[in-house]
Amino acid sequence: MTLLDHVPSETQLRRSAYRRRQTVHSVLVAAFSTAALGTLLVIAVTGAPGWDRVRLSFLDPQIARDALPAVLSGLWLNIRLLVCCAIGALLLGLVIAVLRTLRGPVFFPVRALAAGYTYTFRGLPLIIVLYLLTLGVPGLRLQGMPPVLVLGGIALVLTYGGYLAEVFRAGIESVHSSQLAAARSLGLTYRQTMRHVVLPQAVRRVAPPLLNDVVALQKDVGLVSLAGPIDAVRAAQIATAQTFNYTPYIVAGVLFVLLAIPLIAVTDWVTLRAARRQSGG
Amino acid sequence: MPLLRCRGLRKEFGGHVVLDQLDLTVAEHQVVALIGASGSGKSTLLRCVNLLEEIDDGTIELDGEDISDPRVDPDRVRRRIGMVFQAYNLFPHLSVLDNITLAPRRVHRRGRAEAEAQARELLDRVGLGAKADAYPDRLSGGQQQRVAIVRALANSPRLMLLDEVTSALDPELVGEVLAMIRDLKADGMTMVLATHEMGFAREVADEVCFLDAGRVVESGPPEQVLGEPTQPRTRQFLRRIIEAGRL
């Protein structure tokens, strides 16, 4: 009997009908509870005694329009910094993670340095690293000192490199030792095994947590404004100081969320595609 | 000169002796089957020969060269030995074709076109030509294990080590893998195989070695070791196998 001329039995028809009814029922319940919760929230917020004041000082459309250009130009700095720092931190993290897996006495100092690095920069608050690099380093008055923005970027790369190194390392260690045995038995060297067998599997596995850290980095790049450069949040702060109205912060916040959405969507898509390709589909 | 000669091998894992004064000699084109209970040291012996484990005493010679010498580059040795694992150990992120061509391209520095042509020819020969672009997880266990054998063969090894290659397979898939090993024997491949398939060992092996507690207790032609074992421990082991319906 082929799939096409199969006539479902009476029992199966009853089961299908029951499942369809259940589905309709579930959708209705979900719609109703969402509507009820939404209404409650709106009533609670707009009915609050201070709602009118809050709306004036946080949701003023005119002020939002006025602040938008300055916040956008600040956001452009965020985006450029984010791209550079994300690439830098991912590369640094990967290198540190690989260095920490090297075996043999020759590599002891390398391992120790790499371990010391991750301990230090995961423990050290980002703001302190930023101050040290953007205020302390220029104080040395060395020749050819890079601009403050670059120093701030280096501080971000150093800090996030530490987090990302640990994520990469977790990925590397999650690759089963039988994969290493198989690769080595084929005559691949340790480096080739890492490059062609371990890292591709490790990176795929930790892509979601890596991106999670990149999204966190997206919010932290703004901290370079502590040293002078004007990012989106700082621009919003300046606009707020001029009008005594907090709407520019809301503008910046919305823009940040909009910026994160494609980033998150891309990882979800990458993860899904890798999973589909590898296991039936 | 034998292709492989192990003398006085010793291997411990945390105070537990897994291989103890073990001797094994394999001539070129010979097929040696290692039998014995789980934990008798069969897999460890194969892993030691492939230098995946460091031995604690004794010597291993391949083609007359002492490969247990720490000055020997293990990668160079492993290129001459093909190994197939119980759990296939295919690389899940690479297609069948890329699994097979990885070593020829990266280790032997062959061009992509040449390596792929060779891989496709090998796949065609074992009836897996249509699976070249599939990913391992989409194949049955038997197909995966055949791909793993092809992957080892693509290195043109002098010696094949097969570590219980049918133990993880559903019974109806065992046959296709065994048929492939039979063909390898017909081609004159030198093989050492750890196995629980006594019937297959009897059919394909030139010599059967019964391992117990890390030693070769009894060895010889399959009819003798499996048919008229002289050692009590061999008899005891075979009796248990018969009771389990595996012989």
Side-chain angles (χ1 to χ4, degrees):
Chain A
M1 184 164 60
T2 67
L3 275 172
L4 286 174
D5 52 38
H6 172 67
V7 180
S9 70
E10 198 63 20
T11 320
Q12 179 60 27
L13 287 174
R14 244 180 290 127
R15 271 200 295 252
S16 306
Y18 174 74
R19 288 203 188 105
R20 263 196 307 278
R21 279 198 305 277
Q22 284 297 100
T23 311
V24 172
H25 183 72
S26 310
V27 170
L28 286 177
V29 168
F32 176 77
S33 69
T34 310
L37 185 66
T39 314
L40 271 177
L41 272 176
V42 169
I43 291 172
V45 172
T46 58
W51 165 244
D52 289 329
R53 286 299 313 260
V54 168
R55 197 180 54 185
L56 281 177
S57 46
F58 280 89
L59 299 168
D60 187 324
Q62 185 55 44
I63 287 177
R65 266 195 296 279
D66 292 346
L68 191 60
V71 175
L72 268 181
S73 83
L75 192 72
W76 178 231
L77 177 81
N78 286 74
I79 294 172
R80 280 177 300 161
L81 252 183
L82 172 67
V83 170
C84 297
C85 293
I87 293 171
L90 284 168
L91 286 177
L92 181 66
L94 185 60
V95 169
I96 295 291
V98 170
L99 290 182
R100 287 195 71 176
T101 67
L102 292 178
R103 270 159 289 174
V106 188
F107 296 112
F108 175 76
V110 180
R111 273 199 308 270
L113 271 177
Y117 163 79
T118 55
Y119 273 79
T120 309
F121 282 94
R122 280 192 305 155
L124 206 55
L126 172 59
I127 291 185
I128 294 176
V129 184
L130 267 168
Y131 278 142
L132 284 176
L133 267 123
T134 55
L135 304 177
V137 172
L140 296 172
R141 295 166 192 269
L142 293 170
Q143 287 280 306
M145 185 56 63
V148 146
L149 196 58
V150 175
L151 289 169
I154 293 174
L156 286 161
V157 168
L158 284 175
T159 301
Y160 271 81
Y163 296 127
L164 295 176
E166 287 304 289
V167 176
F168 277 120
R169 195 162 72 104
I172 290 170
E173 280 170 6
S174 79
V175 176
H176 197 262
S177 61
S178 64
Q179 290 283 306
L180 267 97
R184 301 309 300 273
S185 80
L186 289 168
L188 269 71
T189 62
Y190 184 77
R191 257 177 70 180
Q192 289 170 327
T193 301
M194 268 289 163
R195 160 85 181 72
H196 298 289
V197 175
V198 177
L199 287 180
Q201 295 186 57
V203 170
R204 252 164 256 207
R205 255 176 236 182
V206 297
L210 283 178
L211 195 94
N212 198 32
D213 278 347
V214 172
V215 174
L217 172 65
Q218 181 196 321
K219 288 176 285 189
D220 277 353
V221 289
L223 289 175
V224 291
S225 61
L226 289 173
I230 296 170
D231 84 308
V233 177
R234 181 92 177 105
Q237 190 189 13
I238 292 169
T240 300
Q242 285 164 349
T243 58
F244 300 105
N245 187 298
Y246 292 104
T247 307
Y249 278 129
I250 301 291
V251 172
V254 169
L255 288 175
F256 267 98
V257 173
L258 290 179
L259 194 60
I261 288 171
L263 217 57
I264 294 165
V266 163
T267 346
D268 284 356
W269 178 72
V270 168
T271 325
L272 209 72
R273 198 189 54 154
R276 276 224 193 102
R277 202 173 54 174
Q278 273 180 32
S279 58
Chain B
M1 184 176 61
L3 182 63
L4 175 73
R5 176 182 284 167
C6 303
R7 273 186 290 206
L9 282 198
R10 183 182 176 81
K11 176 69 188 171
E12 300 170 21
F13 285 116
H16 178 66
V17 181
V18 184
L19 298 180
D20 186 16
Q21 287 294 315
L22 187 137
D23 296 312
L24 179 76
T25 305
V26 183
E28 188 140 31
H29 308 305
Q30 200 186 15
V31 176
V32 175
L34 306 174
I35 62 168
S38 300
S40 59
K42 307 186 296 287
S43 293
T44 306
L45 173 59
L46 296 181
R47 292 176 65 89
C48 286
V49 170
N50 205 14
L51 306 183
L52 290 171
E53 303 286 353
E54 207 173 285
I55 54 173
D56 295 317
D57 207 345
T59 55
I60 306 171
E61 285 171 25
L62 182 70
D63 258 337
E65 180 193 3
D66 178 7
I67 59 170
S68 49
D69 187 324
R71 285 167 296 187
V72 166
D73 175 9
D75 296 325
R76 214 172 42 76
V77 173
R78 293 191 191 113
R79 284 166 206 177
R80 289 183 278 161
I81 302 176
M83 180 141 182
V84 184
F85 302 86
Q86 182 176 347
Y88 336 128
N89 298 12
L90 293 176
F91 306 130
H93 63 297
L94 297 178
S95 69
V96 165
L97 198 63
D98 290 339
N99 260 280
I100 299 169
T101 56
L102 181 63
R105 289 180 57 200
R106 303 297 164 187
V107 177
H108 299 282
R109 303 266 161 220
R110 297 220 188 96
R112 176 190 274 272
E114 187 196 340
E116 290 190 350
Q118 183 214 12
R120 282 187 195 278
E121 194 199 312
L122 283 168
L123 282 172
D124 281 337
R125 208 183 299 166
V126 299
L128 288 171
K131 302 289 183 189
D133 299 313
Y135 282 83
D137 292 358
R138 292 196 186 179
L139 305 183
S140 73
Q143 290 171 332
Q144 289 193 50
Q145 193 59 291
R146 279 148 68 205
V147 169
I149 296 174
V150 167
R151 181 174 72 176
L153 288 175
N155 262 351
S156 314
R158 300 266 284 128
L159 170 69
M160 286 281 277
L161 307 173
L162 308 169
D163 187 4
E164 300 192 15
V165 293
T166 57
S167 298
L169 295 177
D170 291 337
E172 82 272 18
L173 301 176
V174 169
E176 60 190 68
V177 174
L178 296 186
M180 203 173 158
I181 299 170
R182 222 172 269 133
D183 290 345
L184 281 180
K185 179 186 165 68
D187 291 343
M189 178 60 76
T190 313
M191 288 185 274
V192 182
L193 47 104
T195 186
H196 287 300
E197 308 279 344
M198 296 306 147
F200 184 68
R202 187 194 288 265
E203 173 204 331
V204 83
D206 301 304
E207 185 179 322
V208 171
C209 295
F210 171 65
L211 267 68
D212 188 61
R215 284 169 180 265
V216 176
V217 173
E218 186 164 0
S219 70
E223 312 80 60
Q224 187 223 306
V225 176
L226 297 173
E228 300 144 19
T230 57
Q231 299 293 319
R233 273 183 292 176
T234 319
R235 278 190 226 128
Q236 196 188 359
F237 171 72
L238 289 172
R239 205 160 43 234
R240 283 205 305 268
I241 293 283
I242 292 165
E243 280 165 12
R246 299 293 289 263
L247 186 68

